[in-house]
Amino acid sequence: MTTIKNLSQFENEIVTLKGWVYNIRNSKSIHFIEVRDGSGLCQCIVSADDVSDEVFEAASGLKQESSLEITGKVLKDDRSIGGYELHATDLKVVQIAENYPITPKEHGVEFLMENRHLWLRSRRQWAAMRVRNEIIFAIHTFFQGRGFVQMDSPIFTGNAAEGSTTLFETDYFEEKAYLAQTGQLYGEAMAMAHGLIYTFGPTFRAEKSKTRRHLTEFWMIEPEMAFYDLEMNMDLAEDMIKAIVKTVLEKNKAELEILERDTAALETLAEKRFERMTYTEAVDKLKSDETAELLDEMAASREKELVDIKKEREEIKKEHGSAKKWRKVQIDQRIKEIGARVDQIEEDLRNIPSWKESARNFEWGNDFGGSDETVLMMQFDVPLIVTHWPAEIKAFYMKRDQTDKLALGMDILAPEGYGEIVGGSQREDDLAILEERIAEEGLEKEVFEWYLDLRRYGSVPHSGYGLGLERTVAWICGLSHVRETIPFPRMLGRLRP
Ligand code: 4AD
Ligand code: MG
């Protein structure tokens, strides 16, 4: 069977496509049907001159999302989406769809989320899922290529690992169980058996925060490496991120175009070394005059842009009345774009004063909030690795430095305001210290005995990290919210569909 993706191999040949009507424009003697088949979109032309009356009639009855088989000649056409057109000679209707709820007009995001099972067919959602798929494959390729063993860690767990406030509790035959917040502790056990391992699985956090970065169910990739220190851990994570970005740039050009992703920002990343600084340096940077000035500059340039695009909008609105039909379509599109950008700028302008305030008054010892991360990253065009965190705000398993105040943790912040995509650390490998930590945290020692065994029998320095898949997809696709990075997002207030 021919797919739209492969049409270039069939130029001037007759092929049959099986798919759905993405969009249709009818006139008396010709139908323009945008067909999608899962692999791509193709403009199909059904002309009364080229097909039988019955076929032409059948095409007249097609509605958005009706399913069909369409046969015709493949012709190259650079103006057409995908670069090829199909000039139909025959058409078979599989099903005429009922009135499809998602029309080409604008819909609110709540409505689209209610219809997520259908929204997945829309072009942008389709593109994002293709990128997600490529990222998943790139991650496996990266680790498998370096001799890592993929392992599946349990989803039912008997203990907390990332703080007890975000645990989903469930009944496990009258015993309390929790959905895994991380596979890390099990990953450490496997690393002592295989040296290099990685998990790739769903993780769960009862996050009460309703932000564009939080899901309650998300996928995490957690490599764990025996005999790795913090430095080696960072190098690995940097290599992995570069490999992912490189693959997507190579394989997903079309998808990134559909998503209107400005890829320049991703391309610079390949050659440059990621920024690295300690938490303390990052705090200093955040509180600096330089940062305050940058925010002022940002506000000024946003104000200017706002004036400019509002002016543009007024001008093209005037032109609309007398414009030709094709130009009207362009104008409507541009007005839509301007509207979205105006909303974005106005939101930024509302936020900047509080960002400035929060950055200036940031206190050493606190965790960075979403806005702090955004502000910090305004100054960099590559990811930033922040190391040596106040031990108090990091997990019990992290090894500390000589001062005992700082944890040998590392977070990687993505550029362009996408926030933390990686969290990791060197692990505490000393039995006595780890026992102390568990006691300090008020954790039940018995449930961690198996984990402590890893320090009793051949303990070695080791490190690892977790990459959040959805945040990575959001960043690479340039999506403002993680809800569009996973087929069926689970968030505060969203369990269906
Ligand atoms: O920083 P976190 O909590 O680290 C861990 O869970 C460690 N056990 C990882 C390890 O060392 N093996 O989470 C890691 C990453 C974050 O950087 C973020 O990208 C993602 O997981 N993440 C979330 N993504 C979406 N929604 C949430 N609620 C997330 N919480 C964490
Ligand atoms: Mg973290």
Side-chain angles (χ1 to χ4, degrees), residues 25-56:
R25 283 182 293 131
N26 306 311
S27 73
K28 233 197 263 159
S29 59
I30 196 161
H31 303 299
F32 294 99
I33 314 173
E34 258 182 66
V35 171
R36 55 169 200 88
D37 73 343
S39 82
L41 270 180
C42 174
Q43 161 121 302
C44 299
I45 296 163
V46 184
S47 164
D49 296 340
D50 300 340
V51 297
S52 68
D53 291 351
E54 297 81 69
V55 165
F56 192 78

Side-chain angles (χ1 to χ4, degrees), residues 66-86:
S66 298
S67 39
L68 79 172
E69 290 180 28
I70 188 162
T71 303
K73 193 168 183 182
V74 180
L75 293 178
K76 197 169 166 62
D77 184 337
D78 291 331
R79 290 164 310 168
S80 198
I81 31 164
Y84 291 88
E85 272 182 359
L86 191 87

Side-chain angles (χ1 to χ4, degrees), residues 77-362:
D77 184 337
D78 291 331
R79 290 164 310 168
S80 198
I81 31 164
Y84 291 88
E85 272 182 359
L86 191 87
H87 288 246
T89 52
D90 197 11
L91 180 152
K92 237 190 285 166
V93 175
V94 179
Q95 192 234 351
I96 297 286
E98 294 180 23
N99 283 338
Y100 192 63
I102 303 177
T103 60
K105 77 168 182 103
E106 287 263 353
H107 294 284
V109 75
E110 270 312 300
F111 175 83
L112 292 168
M113 287 303 297
E114 284 296 324
N115 288 286
R116 183 66 178 162
H117 52 296
L118 303 176
W119 190 23
L120 289 169
R121 304 178 186 191
S122 298
R123 225 169 154 216
R124 285 178 58 87
Q125 303 307 310
W126 174 87
M129 288 306 113
R130 309 290 274 202
V131 175
R132 178 185 170 103
N133 177 60
E134 204 61 59
I135 290 176
I136 291 171
F137 194 58
I139 291 169
H140 282 296
T141 306
F142 175 83
F143 285 116
Q144 295 290 337
R146 291 180 177 227
F148 282 65
V149 170
Q150 194 270 338
M151 73 168 276
D152 301 310
S153 53
I155 289 170
F156 283 130
T157 63
N159 51 263
E162 297 294 332
S164 54
T165 56
T166 60
L167 281 172
F168 276 113
E169 200 179 298
T170 170
D171 174 61
Y172 193 77
F173 309 116
E174 275 129 57
E175 199 182 333
K176 259 192 214 166
Y178 309 100
L179 299 185
Q181 298 169 303
T182 166
Q184 178 195 321
L185 307 193
Y186 304 98
E188 288 183 51
M190 270 291 267
M192 299 307 134
H194 293 269
L196 306 171
I197 66 92
Y198 68 107
T199 71
F200 198 134
T203 45
F204 305 86
R205 306 263 170 110
E207 300 266 15
K208 286 267 166 63
S209 32
K210 212 171 185 163
T211 79
R212 58 201 181 88
R213 294 174 188 168
H214 286 95
L215 294 165
T216 52
E217 177 179 300
F218 62 98
W219 287 67
M220 189 151 53
I221 296 87
E222 296 184 272
E224 192 70 34
M225 297 77 65
F227 297 103
Y228 266 49
D229 63 12
L230 184 64
E231 200 71 23
M232 296 160 84
N233 202 22
M234 290 194 270
D235 290 344
L236 182 75
E238 178 167 341
D239 286 353
M240 175 199 67
I241 293 171
K242 284 178 170 164
I244 296 171
V245 170
K246 186 163 166 272
T247 304
V248 172
L249 286 173
E250 270 168 28
K251 302 264 183 74
N252 294 117
K253 271 206 171 63
E255 287 81 3
L256 294 173
E257 217 173 287
I258 292 170
L259 293 163
E260 296 166 279
R261 178 65 164 112
D262 173 8
T263 53
L266 297 174
E267 269 146 22
T268 55
L269 207 123
E271 304 92 56
K272 290 196 192 163
R273 198 174 136 83
F274 289 4
E275 293 287 340
R276 296 180 182 199
M277 58 173 68
T278 65
Y279 167 88
T280 304
E281 287 164 344
V283 172
D284 289 345
K285 183 123 206 151
L286 195 61
K287 295 170 76 76
S288 68
D289 293 343
E290 195 191 341
T291 295
E293 280 159 24
L294 259 170
L295 280 164
D296 289 340
E297 277 167 30
M298 181 176 163
S301 86
R302 291 282 198 280
E303 299 269 14
K304 181 168 178 310
E305 188 184 345
L306 193 61
V307 172
D308 289 349
I309 59 171
K310 279 186 168 170
K311 208 159 100 196
E312 181 190 341
R313 185 163 62 183
E314 286 319 302
E315 272 158 22
I316 56 174
K317 267 186 180 165
K318 274 186 228 150
E319 189 193 330
H320 196 274
S322 58
K324 290 246 165 61
K325 202 168 168 195
W326 64 267
R327 176 66 185 146
K328 277 201 168 88
V329 173
Q330 268 187 351
I331 292 176
D332 290 341
Q333 176 62 26
R334 180 68 190 141
I335 287 178
K336 219 161 88 181
E337 277 168 26
I338 293 178
R341 184 67 191 145
V342 166
D343 290 349
Q344 180 61 53
I345 293 176
E346 285 175 348
E347 193 187 324
D348 283 354
L349 288 174
R350 275 194 302 276
N351 283 331
I352 288 171
S354 62
W355 288 355
K356 205 173 147 184
E357 173 106 356
S358 160
R360 180 65 94 185
N361 300 327
F362 189 90

